[in-house]
Amino acid sequence: MKIKFPLLLSAALSFAAFEGIAQAKFTHSHNDYANNTPFYKAYNNGFNSIEADIFLVDGTLLVSHSDKYLEPERTLKGMYLDPILYALRRDTTRRLNLLIDVKDDHKKTLPALVKELKPLNAYLLSPENPNGRLKILISGNRPVPSDYKDYPDILWFDDDLVYPHTQIEWDRVGQVSLNFENWSKWKGQGPIAEADRKRLKKTVDSVHTHTGKLVRFWGAPDTQESWDTQIGFGADIIGTDRIEQLAGYLAKKTLRKPVTASIPNKQAK
């Protein structure tokens, strides 16, 4: 039986009692490869999650947002997998999410990814390795939920609430990521419209209640006002292109999850 997610269905939610209480947040480096020091800036600033967009080109996984800017030296292995392997060997307490946004045909690209992940197998989170310190999340062009079973369980999936899921399929979902602009056109300056804030909070609460999954909004304004607003309506993971600024902002507010905290597949009960 498919479980359909009733988005925005319930107004009286169990999380309502926590409204107004700011919770510590996980940090996500959006399009990390585009900053001036890929991987290392986010990692050294204690980010819990890092994002890389990939294409499969002649058997090699290349990192780029667009196929117009592919460069043969910008490989997933060299930019992310090798540095992560080195970092996790050095720091045995560190935990990390690598969100991989597949930009081309996932049916060809995901098998190539699984092959390239083999040197990291001992660190990969899976039901068989629940203490794994690296979670691989697949976003972008990804399988439909009914096909999750066809992929190794070292791969978790980013969800956008488009398709219904069985419970087994929900168990393969690592988090929910939603396009902020579908809820609000606010540009991150001055207060957000109250109707938008309520709509965003209701969405987050509904995801929490009906799936237990953590929520991230992509495409949200990348300003302090936006970060504060996201904290206020309960987003669990705050994404940014401004790594040092977000790290400092959350540290100052003592609202930052530690580097030893992995982003869980479900909220703690």
Side-chain angles (χ1 to χ4, degrees), residues 116-188:
E116 286 213 356
L117 288 170
K118 284 184 178 179
L120 285 151
N121 273 350
Y123 298 98
L124 298 178
L125 179 71
S126 70
E128 291 73 33
N129 187 22
N131 295 318
R133 293 187 285 122
L134 176 63
K135 182 162 71 175
I136 303 297
L137 270 167
I138 305 303
S139 188
N141 296 330
R142 52 194 179 264
V144 295
S146 59
D147 289 343
Y148 290 171
K149 65 183 184 304
D150 299 332
Y151 294 87
D153 56 14
I154 58 170
L155 301 183
W156 304 87
F157 296 94
D158 194 31
D159 193 72
D160 56 9
L161 306 180
V162 170
Y163 296 103
H165 294 58
T166 65
Q167 186 55 58
I168 290 174
E169 290 159 5
W170 271 121
D171 291 343
R172 294 293 300 273
V173 172
Q175 66 187 34
V176 169
S177 295
L178 303 173
N179 183 354
F180 184 87
E181 290 189 350
N182 288 341
W183 276 260
S184 176
K185 303 302 181 184
W186 179 60
K187 300 303 182 184

Side-chain angles (χ1 to χ4, degrees), residues 234-246:
D236 305 288
I237 305 161
I238 309 298
T240 190
D241 297 316
R242 302 170 61 205
I243 291 168
E244 293 165 330
Q245 291 89 340
L246 178 61

